[in-house]
Amino acid sequence: MTSTALPATAPAAVARALPRALARMLSLDDFEAEARRRLPRPIFGYIAGAAEDNQSLQGNRQAFAQYAFTPRVLVDVSRRTQRIELFGRSYASPFGVAPMGISALSAYRGDILLARAAREQNIPAILSGTSLIPLEDVIREAPGTWFQAYLPGDPAKIDALVERARRAGYETLVLTVDIPVSANRENNVRTGFSTPLKPSLRLAWDGLARPRWLAGTFLRTLLAHGMPHFENSFATRGAPIVSASVLRDFSARDHLSWEHVARIRRQWPGTLIIKGILHSQDAALARRHGVDGVIVSNHGGRQLDGAISPLRALPGVVAEAGAMTVMMDSGVRRGSDVLKALALGARCVFVGRPFNYAAAVGGQAGVAHAIGLLSAEVDRNMAMLGINHVREMDAGLLCREGAMPA
């Protein structure tokens, strides 16, 4: 896999070949601190924020810390590979880019550069249904990208959007089901972010204080493409981000039900994935409705505060999944997190906020560097765990903290 990241044994000279800002980024968390400096407070707050008291946001990270590795030693690990297969396609690593709304406000043409970086590094990427760039433009730039849809419970609108994605060339449809209503994101209000985005002195000052973002992202977007719109909520173009009518694009999702999933399955010829599964009974229902895969997710803590962390929910979902492919997102920050999720039954994990921050810091090169850092961590940890292939990662290499290994 071609990458701008440093292999575990790379000499310091390779680090000097990176742009200075990226050479300082040694882990995914480093991108967050740098993005905080570069982005206006409302935009950073929107990305970083979660719902209410951040219990789920914090719980997602805490869940990984509750598991420890029990490595094997004196194993020849010289043939290591982290390649995986998903839905008949081979990928270079067992992680991908999660869907992230309004990414084009944190980096110029953000959705495209995220998808391009993923394609070049050969990992899966999912385009958000709340993106500001038409889905047709993204798939043209990065064939193989998956499309995530937020669907209202309106059969005519569902049919039209699904058909639009099919005609554009998408082969994988990700139906996100954990937003029947909008979450209580108090953090957005506190940082000055709103939907619709309201011009204010505070927002103007934040933009002026960050001229690189103002000129390189916002003004460049306005000059080249006009005021951003929500492009992919329906079959037709949505409202501008500053329009009061934008709220209509996010309504009527509380009507969505398993009957609509059955309808979509009949209509969609490609791979169908449901994102937002946490309960094992929902995994069983997805299997019975002919779904190809599920993503265990609590939306990064951005929806129901207090929801179980996906890592904890993973074994129960896997037990009911049958032949479905089980994946996971929420809280993944290290290669060790990726491997812990694989040990508990995930085939692939998706990473959101860190790749968004990387785009804000270094554009497509920043995302490629972040992907490379995570890949290098997976490779290094595989060697120290005593495995040559990620499929060897199972629960026997984990124990709960405080428990004795078997």
Side-chain angles (χ1 to χ4, degrees):
M1 180 175 71
T2 304
S3 171
T4 60
L6 306 180
T9 57
V14 178
R16 290 195 294 270
L18 287 167
R20 182 178 301 176
L22 293 183
R24 295 197 303 268
M25 304 294 107
L26 305 180
S27 72
L28 295 191
D29 281 344
D30 289 344
F31 288 100
E32 180 173 358
E34 185 66 17
R36 184 188 294 270
R37 293 178 51 250
R38 292 175 179 240
L39 291 173
R41 187 167 178 256
I43 304 301
F44 179 84
Y46 170 79
I47 302 168
E52 295 183 350
D53 299 321
N54 293 329
Q55 292 180 30
S56 290
L57 177 68
Q58 295 162 9
N60 290 343
R61 292 297 304 137
Q62 292 164 359
F64 286 102
Q66 292 176 353
Y67 287 93
F69 290 121
T70 53
R72 302 299 304 272
V73 297
L74 294 176
V75 178
D76 180 354
V77 291
S78 61
R79 301 180 308 281
R80 296 187 308 283
T81 176
Q82 56 187 279
R83 298 189 75 85
I84 61 167
E85 283 201 11
L86 291 176
F87 311 113
R89 175 171 173 177
S90 177
Y91 291 100
S93 292
F95 60 84
V97 179
M100 292 168 282
I102 68 170
S103 296
L105 287 186
S106 50
Y108 178 71
R109 308 300 275 170
D111 302 289
I112 288 177
L113 66 84
L114 285 161
R116 274 181 181 164
R119 178 172 171 79
E120 290 184 4
Q121 305 296 300
N122 191 24
I123 63 171
I126 310 174
L127 172 67
S128 171
T130 54
S131 54
L132 305 177
I133 299 175
L135 59 86
E136 292 84 358
D137 293 355
V138 177
I139 195 75
R140 189 181 307 117
E141 295 283 345
T145 301
W146 304 0
F147 177 60
Q148 174 227 30
Y150 292 112
L151 295 173
D154 181 324
K157 291 180 178 178
I158 289 173
D159 291 352
L161 180 57
V162 170
E163 178 62 14
R164 178 186 170 193
R166 187 193 68 79
R167 287 182 178 275
Y170 286 87
E171 298 177 352
T172 302
L173 179 65
V174 181
L175 175 59
T176 294
V177 296
D178 56 1
I179 307 189
V181 295
S182 297
N184 181 22
R185 297 186 188 172
E186 299 165 2
N187 290 322
N188 285 357
V189 179
R190 293 191 176 98
T191 59
F193 186 90
S194 62
T195 304
L197 191 63
K198 298 176 181 177
S200 66
L201 289 175
R202 181 179 183 178
L203 183 61
W205 172 252
D206 264 20
L208 290 170
R210 292 163 178 82
R212 180 161 30 189
W213 173 86
L214 183 64
T217 299
F218 188 66
L219 293 179
R220 186 179 176 190
T221 297
L222 286 180
L223 289 172
H225 308 283
M227 180 60 67
H229 286 59
F230 287 98
E231 299 283 358
N232 303 314
S233 297
F234 301 112
T236 55
R237 192 181 201 195
I241 59 172
V242 295
S243 170
S245 64
V246 76
L247 294 175
R248 292 200 299 267
D249 288 2
F250 306 106
S251 62
R253 291 175 181 163
D254 54 352
H255 292 69
L256 198 65
S257 72
W258 287 105
E259 293 179 5
H260 298 104
V261 173
R263 183 186 185 93
I264 294 165
R265 178 69 285 179
R266 290 192 297 269
Q267 182 184 1
W268 181 253
T271 301
L272 180 62
I273 297 168
I274 291 184
K275 179 180 181 293
I277 296 287
L278 290 171
H279 201 292
S280 60
Q281 291 182 23
D282 287 335
L285 282 167
R287 172 171 47 82
R288 289 202 290 269
H289 279 78
V291 172
D292 299 297
V294 296
I295 300 177
V296 184
S297 171
N298 66 12
H299 219 101
R302 296 168 74 86
Q303 283 305 111
L304 174 62
D305 198 27
I308 185 174
S309 70
L311 192 72
R312 292 176 181 167
L314 193 54
V317 171
V318 170
E320 294 291 342
M324 288 192 308
T325 297
V326 178
M327 298 159 282
M328 197 202 88
D329 70 20
S330 304
V332 175
R333 295 294 180 272
R334 287 283 189 181
S336 57
D337 301 336
V338 175
L339 292 170
K340 287 175 182 179
L342 298 187
L344 294 176
R347 293 277 301 280
C348 181
V349 305
F350 288 88
V351 181
R353 291 178 179 96
F355 289 149
N356 202 327
Y357 298 140
V361 171
Q364 186 172 329
V367 180
H369 182 49
I371 292 169
L373 287 172
L374 194 57
S375 175
E377 289 179 1
V378 170
D379 176 73
R380 185 183 302 112
N381 289 343
M382 287 175 62
M384 290 191 282
L385 281 163
I387 62 174
N388 278 294
H389 197 286
V390 289
R391 63 172 171 262
E392 300 173 52
M393 196 68 213
D394 60 32
L397 294 170
L398 289 185
C399 70
R400 294 295 294 264
E401 281 288 10
M404 292 297 293

